[in-house]
Amino acid sequence: MRLALIGYGHVGRAFARLLENKHAAYPFRIVGIRTGRHGSAHSERGLPLEPEFGPSEATVEEFLDRSRAEVVFEITPLEPASGEPAIAHIRAAFARGMHVVTANKGPIAHAYAALRDEARNAGVLFRFESTCMDGAPVFNLVRDNLPGVEILGFTGVLNSTSKIVVEALRQGRGMEEGIEEARRMGIAEADASYDIDGWDSAAKTAALANVLMDARVTPMDVERRGIGRLTPERVAELAATRKTVCLVSRARRTASGIKLRVRAEVLEETDILAAVRGTSNLLLFHTDLMGTLGTVSLSPTVGQTAYGLFSDLVDIARAL
Amino acid sequence: MRLALIGYGHVGRAFARLLENKHAAYPFRIVGIRTGRHGSAHSERGLPLEPEFGPSEATVEEFLDRSRAEVVFEITPLEPASGEPAIAHIRAAFARGMHVVTANKGPIAHAYAALRDEARNAGVLFRFESTCMDGAPVFNLVRDNLPGVEILGFTGVLNSTSKIVVEALRQGRGMEEGIEEARRMGIAEADASYDIDGWDSAAKTAALANVLMDARVTPMDVERRGIGRLTPERVAELAATRKTVCLVSRARRTASGIKLRVRAEVLEETDILAAVRGTSNLLLFHTDLMGTLGTVSLSPTVGQTAYGLFSDLVDIARAL
């Protein structure tokens, strides 16, 4: 199967390594890579991990045409406010009859319903397991393993940087030190306020609600209150009564529509939401037939995000 | 699709109710039910929730022949020491070219590898999602959503009665009172020592290891140390240092084979394993490509176990 990658950062390279390791059992081939800074590379026989890049085609459309890929991977950096240009990249692939896998939450948070319908009309598949929980089964789990179940809402702890920062505050350090630590771990967004103010969680919340509850919202529709005003003193005060603070995403279906919020919540230290520390994350689904159940992922790295792309690819290959 | 049920207790009735509610979208029909005490019932048009039972056929084989079912549900009570007669029931179905779904962990804990091969040779499907975690996605999750992943081990909190008992001890009550409470909740096994001594957890551990790690073990192969000698004093002592006790199942692949154990472990109260209280359960998979990830189910009831049977049935219907 012929693959093309739009974007080739940490996730793209980890994905290429994974494909190389699994080549005997899963003979996929990366025939084209387009990057923002290094240009493009093409090879009919499959590209090496560190290909020689030449000048980029003038447009993504030209790149896709030249690649003649069957599956396109949209893994450019997130542009949180609009989800572009990733949305345009995905549409260009659909228009060429190419299946799409993305790890970019922007398109799912901003334009999922339209993209889902466009994929259907084009007769192609669209997968995005790595967008909200670093590759742990979420969307594929609900689709494959919960037939006939309605998702009534969800509760998630989905942002790592905020947890690192709260832990730093708990140790009496300042918010800036916590952000610096998250940067050293490679998990903070370039603009850390995106994590601290809850925008990252809001984008994930919107994406989850769009896919699992057909919410048709954007991150702007998520009520949002971040951890920006939290102080070491307040965290110490809470710790004295065995409580902590956690940035929690919540969705629920109500009579007046779907309510979405991201809020710094005070939790008992023994709460399962508080037990998810560091880069770990947890997503609980509230359902009609299966009560509350969920997925937990402990200390995921970029390798898991890359695996999420791989599991989407295998899912597409199986469906064809 | 024609279904036959062997066993018709709480789980069977909850399953029949679920089928009735979902009949418009999923037109399955229960054409035969065989019980241990009330006899058998048959109907070509589908049996009502409380059918009139007549005398049982002399053997399960005769019952199955008469039912001409396509999918057989083995949901008789667990016989922990051998897994029989459920194993014989399953084999009788396979011999007739019938697919099998079971919520009975005995056959999976005692004879999984043989049953898997026999199903394959008979050209039928064999599903058992409800055996270890009350219907939450475990086996179907690994099979469908983790392609190419090797399970290196797992850690689980899978027994409810022991958690109710530890909570009773923490409140200064005795072990017998805790067991009584679990009985009132309908979750303790008839012989509570089966829960307290870790046999229930050992059976689940063996079943999980047999399916996910091809371990070919029985519950006897699981090193086992229950909570039988725990006292209110010891639990209070631990609580003073923010610790608790939890019956934890662990499996890991080592150079000398697969090590399995069930043990009352001392945990920090903030440990994610300790955060799973009451009838909730958690199973973490340790993998090569996806790090540690898992499934959590909060306060499941018999409805979830019934849903697990339903999800297995839909999985079989999709595969045909």
Side-chain angles (χ1 to χ4, degrees), chain A residues 222-255:
Chain A
V222 180
E223 182 202 315
R224 189 180 44 75
R225 195 188 303 161
I227 60 165
R229 278 185 282 182
L230 207 57
T231 60
E233 292 70 30
R234 173 68 177 143
V235 175
E237 197 181 292
L238 290 168
T241 55
R242 301 193 186 185
K243 290 189 173 67
T244 186
V245 173
C246 195
L247 202 55
V248 179
S249 297
R250 292 190 190 266
R252 64 192 170 93
R253 206 180 282 284
T254 72

PDB file of all heavy atoms in Angstrom, chain A residues 222-255:
ATOM      1  N   VAL A 222     -16.811  25.393  23.805  1.00  0.00           N
ATOM      2  CA  VAL A 222     -16.540  24.715  25.072  1.00  0.00           C
ATOM      3  C   VAL A 222     -16.347  25.769  26.160  1.00  0.00           C
ATOM      4  O   VAL A 222     -15.474  26.633  26.042  1.00  0.00           O
ATOM      5  CB  VAL A 222     -15.267  23.833  24.951  1.00  0.00           C
ATOM      6  CG1 VAL A 222     -14.986  23.122  26.270  1.00  0.00           C
ATOM      7  CG2 VAL A 222     -15.420  22.830  23.805  1.00  0.00           C
ATOM      8  N   GLU A 223     -17.165  25.713  27.203  1.00  0.00           N
ATOM      9  CA  GLU A 223     -16.979  26.598  28.356  1.00  0.00           C
ATOM     10  C   GLU A 223     -15.623  26.273  28.961  1.00  0.00           C
ATOM     11  O   GLU A 223     -15.306  25.101  29.163  1.00  0.00           O
ATOM     12  CB  GLU A 223     -18.099  26.322  29.376  1.00  0.00           C
ATOM     13  CG  GLU A 223     -18.048  27.214  30.595  1.00  0.00           C
ATOM     14  CD  GLU A 223     -18.793  26.579  31.764  1.00  0.00           C
ATOM     15  OE1 GLU A 223     -19.904  26.068  31.569  1.00  0.00           O
ATOM     16  OE2 GLU A 223     -18.214  26.573  32.875  1.00  0.00           O
ATOM     17  N   ARG A 224     -14.819  27.265  29.270  1.00  0.00           N
ATOM     18  CA  ARG A 224     -13.427  26.993  29.542  1.00  0.00           C
ATOM     19  C   ARG A 224     -12.905  27.857  30.680  1.00  0.00           C
ATOM     20  O   ARG A 224     -13.091  29.074  30.676  1.00  0.00           O
ATOM     21  CB  ARG A 224     -12.648  27.294  28.242  1.00  0.00           C
ATOM     22  CG  ARG A 224     -11.200  26.887  28.180  1.00  0.00           C
ATOM     23  CD  ARG A 224     -10.636  27.278  26.815  1.00  0.00           C
ATOM     24  NE  ARG A 224     -11.049  28.615  26.435  1.00  0.00           N
ATOM     25  CZ  ARG A 224     -10.549  29.731  26.945  1.00  0.00           C
ATOM     26  NH1 ARG A 224      -9.586  29.681  27.831  1.00  0.00           N
ATOM     27  NH2 ARG A 224     -11.015  30.901  26.565  1.00  0.00           N
ATOM     28  N   ARG A 225     -12.296  27.234  31.684  1.00  0.00           N
ATOM     29  CA  ARG A 225     -11.652  27.968  32.771  1.00  0.00           C
ATOM     30  C   ARG A 225     -10.381  27.214  33.132  1.00  0.00           C
ATOM     31  O   ARG A 225     -10.450  26.101  33.658  1.00  0.00           O
ATOM     32  CB  ARG A 225     -12.588  28.069  33.973  1.00  0.00           C
ATOM     33  CG  ARG A 225     -12.145  29.111  34.983  1.00  0.00           C
ATOM     34  CD  ARG A 225     -12.980  29.058  36.244  1.00  0.00           C
ATOM     35  NE  ARG A 225     -14.405  29.239  35.989  1.00  0.00           N
ATOM     36  CZ  ARG A 225     -15.372  28.875  36.834  1.00  0.00           C
ATOM     37  NH1 ARG A 225     -15.058  28.288  37.978  1.00  0.00           N
ATOM     38  NH2 ARG A 225     -16.634  29.067  36.540  1.00  0.00           N
ATOM     39  N   GLY A 226      -9.225  27.777  32.832  1.00  0.00           N
ATOM     40  CA  GLY A 226      -7.940  27.074  32.962  1.00  0.00           C
ATOM     41  C   GLY A 226      -7.356  27.145  34.357  1.00  0.00           C
ATOM     42  O   GLY A 226      -8.041  27.480  35.324  1.00  0.00           O
ATOM     43  N   ILE A 227      -6.066  26.825  34.457  1.00  0.00           N
ATOM     44  CA  ILE A 227      -5.382  26.815  35.760  1.00  0.00           C
ATOM     45  C   ILE A 227      -4.502  28.050  35.943  1.00  0.00           C
ATOM     46  O   ILE A 227      -3.667  28.096  36.847  1.00  0.00           O
ATOM     47  CB  ILE A 227      -4.522  25.541  35.944  1.00  0.00           C
ATOM     48  CG1 ILE A 227      -3.436  25.450  34.859  1.00  0.00           C
ATOM     49  CG2 ILE A 227      -5.386  24.290  35.956  1.00  0.00           C
ATOM     50  CD1 ILE A 227      -2.353  24.433  35.190  1.00  0.00           C
ATOM     51  N   GLY A 228      -4.682  29.072  35.088  1.00  0.00           N
ATOM     52  CA  GLY A 228      -3.784  30.238  35.065  1.00  0.00           C
ATOM     53  C   GLY A 228      -3.666  30.976  36.387  1.00  0.00           C
ATOM     54  O   GLY A 228      -2.618  31.536  36.692  1.00  0.00           O
ATOM     55  N   ARG A 229      -4.740  30.987  37.186  1.00  0.00           N
ATOM     56  CA  ARG A 229      -4.675  31.763  38.431  1.00  0.00           C
ATOM     57  C   ARG A 229      -4.333  30.923  39.665  1.00  0.00           C
ATOM     58  O   ARG A 229      -4.390  31.400  40.790  1.00  0.00           O
ATOM     59  CB  ARG A 229      -6.009  32.493  38.634  1.00  0.00           C
ATOM     60  CG  ARG A 229      -6.042  33.791  37.808  1.00  0.00           C
ATOM     61  CD  ARG A 229      -7.284  34.595  38.089  1.00  0.00           C
ATOM     62  NE  ARG A 229      -8.426  34.035  37.377  1.00  0.00           N
ATOM     63  CZ  ARG A 229      -9.651  34.563  37.399  1.00  0.00           C
ATOM     64  NH1 ARG A 229      -9.890  35.641  38.125  1.00  0.00           N
ATOM     65  NH2 ARG A 229     -10.637  34.031  36.705  1.00  0.00           N
ATOM     66  N   LEU A 230      -3.978  29.669  39.417  1.00  0.00           N
ATOM     67  CA  LEU A 230      -3.638  28.784  40.534  1.00  0.00           C
ATOM     68  C   LEU A 230      -2.278  29.183  41.119  1.00  0.00           C
ATOM     69  O   LEU A 230      -1.355  29.508  40.393  1.00  0.00           O
ATOM     70  CB  LEU A 230      -3.589  27.346  40.006  1.00  0.00           C
ATOM     71  CG  LEU A 230      -3.873  26.207  40.959  1.00  0.00           C
ATOM     72  CD1 LEU A 230      -5.236  26.354  41.601  1.00  0.00           C
ATOM     73  CD2 LEU A 230      -3.792  24.888  40.189  1.00  0.00           C
ATOM     74  N   THR A 231      -2.163  29.153  42.464  1.00  0.00           N
ATOM     75  CA  THR A 231      -0.896  29.524  43.126  1.00  0.00           C
ATOM     76  C   THR A 231      -0.389  28.350  43.964  1.00  0.00           C
ATOM     77  O   THR A 231      -1.158  27.460  44.333  1.00  0.00           O
ATOM     78  CB  THR A 231      -1.121  30.701  44.095  1.00  0.00           C
ATOM     79  OG1 THR A 231      -2.079  30.281  45.091  1.00  0.00           O
ATOM     80  CG2 THR A 231      -1.626  31.927  43.364  1.00  0.00           C
ATOM     81  N   PRO A 232       0.930  28.343  44.285  1.00  0.00           N
ATOM     82  CA  PRO A 232       1.457  27.289  45.162  1.00  0.00           C
ATOM     83  C   PRO A 232       0.718  27.271  46.504  1.00  0.00           C
ATOM     84  O   PRO A 232       0.478  26.202  47.073  1.00  0.00           O
ATOM     85  CB  PRO A 232       2.929  27.674  45.344  1.00  0.00           C
ATOM     86  CG  PRO A 232       3.266  28.491  44.143  1.00  0.00           C
ATOM     87  CD  PRO A 232       2.003  29.226  43.781  1.00  0.00           C
ATOM     88  N   GLU A 233       0.329  28.449  47.001  1.00  0.00           N
ATOM     89  CA  GLU A 233      -0.353  28.526  48.300  1.00  0.00           C
ATOM     90  C   GLU A 233      -1.699  27.796  48.240  1.00  0.00           C
ATOM     91  O   GLU A 233      -2.054  27.036  49.147  1.00  0.00           O
ATOM     92  CB  GLU A 233      -0.586  29.995  48.703  1.00  0.00           C
ATOM     93  CG  GLU A 233       0.685  30.778  49.016  1.00  0.00           C
ATOM     94  CD  GLU A 233       1.530  31.060  47.776  1.00  0.00           C
ATOM     95  OE1 GLU A 233       0.952  31.194  46.671  1.00  0.00           O
ATOM     96  OE2 GLU A 233       2.778  31.112  47.901  1.00  0.00           O
ATOM     97  N   ARG A 234      -2.442  28.041  47.169  1.00  0.00           N
ATOM     98  CA  ARG A 234      -3.759  27.405  47.032  1.00  0.00           C
ATOM     99  C   ARG A 234      -3.609  25.889  46.914  1.00  0.00           C
ATOM    100  O   ARG A 234      -4.378  25.129  47.520  1.00  0.00           O
ATOM    101  CB  ARG A 234      -4.453  27.988  45.793  1.00  0.00           C
ATOM    102  CG  ARG A 234      -5.758  27.325  45.413  1.00  0.00           C
ATOM    103  CD  ARG A 234      -6.848  27.588  46.437  1.00  0.00           C
ATOM    104  NE  ARG A 234      -8.113  26.988  46.015  1.00  0.00           N
ATOM    105  CZ  ARG A 234      -8.986  26.426  46.832  1.00  0.00           C
ATOM    106  NH1 ARG A 234      -8.755  26.394  48.134  1.00  0.00           N
ATOM    107  NH2 ARG A 234     -10.104  25.922  46.366  1.00  0.00           N
ATOM    108  N   VAL A 235      -2.609  25.448  46.166  1.00  0.00           N
ATOM    109  CA  VAL A 235      -2.405  24.002  45.985  1.00  0.00           C
ATOM    110  C   VAL A 235      -1.998  23.368  47.319  1.00  0.00           C
ATOM    111  O   VAL A 235      -2.468  22.270  47.663  1.00  0.00           O
ATOM    112  CB  VAL A 235      -1.362  23.723  44.881  1.00  0.00           C
ATOM    113  CG1 VAL A 235      -1.068  22.232  44.779  1.00  0.00           C
ATOM    114  CG2 VAL A 235      -1.866  24.249  43.533  1.00  0.00           C
ATOM    115  N   ALA A 236      -1.168  24.070  48.098  1.00  0.00           N
ATOM    116  CA  ALA A 236      -0.749  23.559  49.407  1.00  0.00           C
ATOM    117  C   ALA A 236      -1.944  23.441  50.350  1.00  0.00           C
ATOM    118  O   ALA A 236      -2.086  22.462  51.099  1.00  0.00           O
ATOM    119  CB  ALA A 236       0.324  24.470  50.002  1.00  0.00           C
ATOM    120  N   GLU A 237      -2.790  24.460  50.319  1.00  0.00           N
ATOM    121  CA  GLU A 237      -4.009  24.492  51.139  1.00  0.00           C
ATOM    122  C   GLU A 237      -4.900  23.278  50.809  1.00  0.00           C
ATOM    123  O   GLU A 237      -5.412  22.611  51.711  1.00  0.00           O
ATOM    124  CB  GLU A 237      -4.732  25.797  50.766  1.00  0.00           C
ATOM    125  CG  GLU A 237      -5.780  26.316  51.679  1.00  0.00           C
ATOM    126  CD  GLU A 237      -6.350  27.603  51.038  1.00  0.00           C
ATOM    127  OE1 GLU A 237      -5.609  28.621  50.966  1.00  0.00           O
ATOM    128  OE2 GLU A 237      -7.505  27.568  50.561  1.00  0.00           O
ATOM    129  N   LEU A 238      -5.043  22.989  49.523  1.00  0.00           N
ATOM    130  CA  LEU A 238      -5.850  21.837  49.110  1.00  0.00           C
ATOM    131  C   LEU A 238      -5.183  20.528  49.525  1.00  0.00           C
ATOM    132  O   LEU A 238      -5.846  19.602  50.001  1.00  0.00           O
ATOM    133  CB  LEU A 238      -6.060  21.853  47.591  1.00  0.00           C
ATOM    134  CG  LEU A 238      -6.977  22.956  47.061  1.00  0.00           C
ATOM    135  CD1 LEU A 238      -6.883  23.047  45.543  1.00  0.00           C
ATOM    136  CD2 LEU A 238      -8.417  22.688  47.491  1.00  0.00           C
ATOM    137  N   ALA A 239      -3.847  20.465  49.360  1.00  0.00           N
ATOM    138  CA  ALA A 239      -3.128  19.233  49.683  1.00  0.00           C
ATOM    139  C   ALA A 239      -3.295  18.886  51.161  1.00  0.00           C
ATOM    140  O   ALA A 239      -3.333  17.707  51.533  1.00  0.00           O
ATOM    141  CB  ALA A 239      -1.651  19.368  49.317  1.00  0.00           C
ATOM    142  N   ALA A 240      -3.410  19.912  52.009  1.00  0.00           N
ATOM    143  CA  ALA A 240      -3.569  19.691  53.449  1.00  0.00           C
ATOM    144  C   ALA A 240      -4.864  18.943  53.763  1.00  0.00           C
ATOM    145  O   ALA A 240      -4.969  18.258  54.781  1.00  0.00           O
ATOM    146  CB  ALA A 240      -3.538  21.028  54.185  1.00  0.00           C
ATOM    147  N   THR A 241      -5.859  19.073  52.885  1.00  0.00           N
ATOM    148  CA  THR A 241      -7.115  18.332  53.076  1.00  0.00           C
ATOM    149  C   THR A 241      -7.231  17.190  52.052  1.00  0.00           C
ATOM    150  O   THR A 241      -8.330  16.757  51.718  1.00  0.00           O
ATOM    151  CB  THR A 241      -8.331  19.274  52.941  1.00  0.00           C
ATOM    152  OG1 THR A 241      -8.250  19.945  51.670  1.00  0.00           O
ATOM    153  CG2 THR A 241      -8.353  20.308  54.062  1.00  0.00           C
ATOM    154  N   ARG A 242      -6.062  16.748  51.558  1.00  0.00           N
ATOM    155  CA  ARG A 242      -5.996  15.619  50.618  1.00  0.00           C
ATOM    156  C   ARG A 242      -6.804  15.865  49.349  1.00  0.00           C
ATOM    157  O   ARG A 242      -7.501  14.975  48.850  1.00  0.00           O
ATOM    158  CB  ARG A 242      -6.469  14.326  51.289  1.00  0.00           C
ATOM    159  CG  ARG A 242      -5.623  13.976  52.512  1.00  0.00           C
ATOM    160  CD  ARG A 242      -5.892  12.575  52.970  1.00  0.00           C
ATOM    161  NE  ARG A 242      -5.188  12.309  54.208  1.00  0.00           N
ATOM    162  CZ  ARG A 242      -5.157  11.125  54.809  1.00  0.00           C
ATOM    163  NH1 ARG A 242      -5.801  10.110  54.285  1.00  0.00           N
ATOM    164  NH2 ARG A 242      -4.488  10.955  55.927  1.00  0.00           N
ATOM    165  N   LYS A 243      -6.711  17.089  48.883  1.00  0.00           N
ATOM    166  CA  LYS A 243      -7.371  17.425  47.613  1.00  0.00           C
ATOM    167  C   LYS A 243      -6.331  17.936  46.623  1.00  0.00           C
ATOM    168  O   LYS A 243      -5.219  18.308  46.995  1.00  0.00           O
ATOM    169  CB  LYS A 243      -8.448  18.492  47.836  1.00  0.00           C
ATOM    170  CG  LYS A 243      -9.660  17.991  48.608  1.00  0.00           C
ATOM    171  CD  LYS A 243     -10.767  19.013  48.592  1.00  0.00           C
ATOM    172  CE  LYS A 243     -12.047  18.457  49.212  1.00  0.00           C
ATOM    173  NZ  LYS A 243     -11.916  18.196  50.653  1.00  0.00           N
ATOM    174  N   THR A 244      -6.694  17.936  45.358  1.00  0.00           N
ATOM    175  CA  THR A 244      -5.807  18.465  44.324  1.00  0.00           C
ATOM    176  C   THR A 244      -6.657  19.120  43.244  1.00  0.00           C
ATOM    177  O   THR A 244      -7.885  19.110  43.311  1.00  0.00           O
ATOM    178  CB  THR A 244      -4.913  17.348  43.742  1.00  0.00           C
ATOM    179  OG1 THR A 244      -3.984  17.940  42.840  1.00  0.00           O
ATOM    180  CG2 THR A 244      -5.730  16.303  43.002  1.00  0.00           C
ATOM    181  N   VAL A 245      -5.968  19.722  42.287  1.00  0.00           N
ATOM    182  CA  VAL A 245      -6.660  20.394  41.173  1.00  0.00           C
ATOM    183  C   VAL A 245      -6.302  19.685  39.883  1.00  0.00           C
ATOM    184  O   VAL A 245      -5.154  19.274  39.690  1.00  0.00           O
ATOM    185  CB  VAL A 245      -6.244  21.875  41.085  1.00  0.00           C
ATOM    186  CG1 VAL A 245      -6.825  22.521  39.828  1.00  0.00           C
ATOM    187  CG2 VAL A 245      -6.707  22.612  42.313  1.00  0.00           C
ATOM    188  N   CYS A 246      -7.271  19.559  39.005  1.00  0.00           N
ATOM    189  CA  CYS A 246      -7.063  18.831  37.764  1.00  0.00           C
ATOM    190  C   CYS A 246      -7.906  19.493  36.671  1.00  0.00           C
ATOM    191  O   CYS A 246      -9.047  19.880  36.921  1.00  0.00           O
ATOM    192  CB  CYS A 246      -7.493  17.381  38.000  1.00  0.00           C
ATOM    193  SG  CYS A 246      -6.937  16.245  36.758  1.00  0.00           S
ATOM    194  N   LEU A 247      -7.325  19.637  35.491  1.00  0.00           N
ATOM    195  CA  LEU A 247      -8.056  20.207  34.355  1.00  0.00           C
ATOM    196  C   LEU A 247      -8.907  19.090  33.747  1.00  0.00           C
ATOM    197  O   LEU A 247      -8.373  18.160  33.145  1.00  0.00           O
ATOM    198  CB  LEU A 247      -7.055  20.757  33.340  1.00  0.00           C
ATOM    199  CG  LEU A 247      -7.544  21.816  32.355  1.00  0.00           C
ATOM    200  CD1 LEU A 247      -8.156  23.013  33.071  1.00  0.00           C
ATOM    201  CD2 LEU A 247      -6.375  22.273  31.477  1.00  0.00           C
ATOM    202  N   VAL A 248     -10.217  19.188  33.935  1.00  0.00           N
ATOM    203  CA  VAL A 248     -11.114  18.090  33.548  1.00  0.00           C
ATOM    204  C   VAL A 248     -12.016  18.532  32.394  1.00  0.00           C
ATOM    205  O   VAL A 248     -12.587  19.622  32.424  1.00  0.00           O
ATOM    206  CB  VAL A 248     -11.986  17.654  34.753  1.00  0.00           C
ATOM    207  CG1 VAL A 248     -12.935  16.525  34.348  1.00  0.00           C
ATOM    208  CG2 VAL A 248     -11.106  17.217  35.921  1.00  0.00           C
ATOM    209  N   SER A 249     -12.132  17.681  31.400  1.00  0.00           N
ATOM    210  CA  SER A 249     -13.055  17.898  30.274  1.00  0.00           C
ATOM    211  C   SER A 249     -14.338  17.136  30.546  1.00  0.00           C
ATOM    212  O   SER A 249     -14.292  15.957  30.904  1.00  0.00           O
ATOM    213  CB  SER A 249     -12.460  17.330  28.975  1.00  0.00           C
ATOM    214  OG  SER A 249     -11.276  17.977  28.617  1.00  0.00           O
ATOM    215  N   ARG A 250     -15.479  17.814  30.369  1.00  0.00           N
ATOM    216  CA  ARG A 250     -16.752  17.124  30.581  1.00  0.00           C
ATOM    217  C   ARG A 250     -17.725  17.436  29.455  1.00  0.00           C
ATOM    218  O   ARG A 250     -17.823  18.572  28.996  1.00  0.00           O
ATOM    219  CB  ARG A 250     -17.395  17.532  31.903  1.00  0.00           C
ATOM    220  CG  ARG A 250     -16.633  17.051  33.131  1.00  0.00           C
ATOM    221  CD  ARG A 250     -17.430  17.264  34.414  1.00  0.00           C
ATOM    222  NE  ARG A 250     -16.601  17.017  35.582  1.00  0.00           N
ATOM    223  CZ  ARG A 250     -16.532  15.838  36.230  1.00  0.00           C
ATOM    224  NH1 ARG A 250     -17.244  14.816  35.801  1.00  0.00           N
ATOM    225  NH2 ARG A 250     -15.751  15.693  37.277  1.00  0.00           N
ATOM    226  N   ALA A 251     -18.457  16.405  29.031  1.00  0.00           N
ATOM    227  CA  ALA A 251     -19.515  16.577  28.040  1.00  0.00           C
ATOM    228  C   ALA A 251     -20.742  15.846  28.527  1.00  0.00           C
ATOM    229  O   ALA A 251     -20.633  14.759  29.103  1.00  0.00           O
ATOM    230  CB  ALA A 251     -19.080  15.998  26.688  1.00  0.00           C
ATOM    231  N   ARG A 252     -21.911  16.444  28.339  1.00  0.00           N
ATOM    232  CA  ARG A 252     -23.136  15.708  28.629  1.00  0.00           C
ATOM    233  C   ARG A 252     -24.268  16.209  27.748  1.00  0.00           C
ATOM    234  O   ARG A 252     -24.337  17.377  27.373  1.00  0.00           O
ATOM    235  CB  ARG A 252     -23.512  15.786  30.117  1.00  0.00           C
ATOM    236  CG  ARG A 252     -23.847  17.150  30.623  1.00  0.00           C
ATOM    237  CD  ARG A 252     -23.923  17.192  32.153  1.00  0.00           C
ATOM    238  NE  ARG A 252     -24.024  18.568  32.579  1.00  0.00           N
ATOM    239  CZ  ARG A 252     -25.178  19.205  32.805  1.00  0.00           C
ATOM    240  NH1 ARG A 252     -26.320  18.570  32.692  1.00  0.00           N
ATOM    241  NH2 ARG A 252     -25.194  20.466  33.157  1.00  0.00           N
ATOM    242  N   ARG A 253     -25.110  15.265  27.397  1.00  0.00           N
ATOM    243  CA  ARG A 253     -26.278  15.560  26.578  1.00  0.00           C
ATOM    244  C   ARG A 253     -27.388  16.018  27.515  1.00  0.00           C
ATOM    245  O   ARG A 253     -27.694  15.340  28.497  1.00  0.00           O
ATOM    246  CB  ARG A 253     -26.703  14.261  25.871  1.00  0.00           C
ATOM    247  CG  ARG A 253     -27.443  14.447  24.576  1.00  0.00           C
ATOM    248  CD  ARG A 253     -27.799  13.101  23.968  1.00  0.00           C
ATOM    249  NE  ARG A 253     -26.695  12.431  23.299  1.00  0.00           N
ATOM    250  CZ  ARG A 253     -26.234  12.779  22.098  1.00  0.00           C
ATOM    251  NH1 ARG A 253     -26.767  13.776  21.439  1.00  0.00           N
ATOM    252  NH2 ARG A 253     -25.236  12.112  21.552  1.00  0.00           N
ATOM    253  N   THR A 254     -27.959  17.186  27.270  1.00  0.00           N
ATOM    254  CA  THR A 254     -29.063  17.677  28.105  1.00  0.00           C
ATOM    255  C   THR A 254     -30.256  17.958  27.198  1.00  0.00           C
ATOM    256  O   THR A 254     -30.139  17.900  25.972  1.00  0.00           O
ATOM    257  CB  THR A 254     -28.680  18.992  28.824  1.00  0.00           C
ATOM    258  OG1 THR A 254     -28.647  20.045  27.849  1.00  0.00           O
ATOM    259  CG2 THR A 254     -27.337  18.900  29.505  1.00  0.00           C
ATOM    260  N   ALA A 255     -31.366  18.288  27.823  1.00  0.00           N
ATOM    261  CA  ALA A 255     -32.574  18.583  27.048  1.00  0.00           C
ATOM    262  C   ALA A 255     -32.336  19.751  26.106  1.00  0.00           C
ATOM    263  O   ALA A 255     -32.909  19.829  25.021  1.00  0.00           O
ATOM    264  CB  ALA A 255     -33.738  18.875  27.995  1.00  0.00           C
TER     265      ALA A 255
END
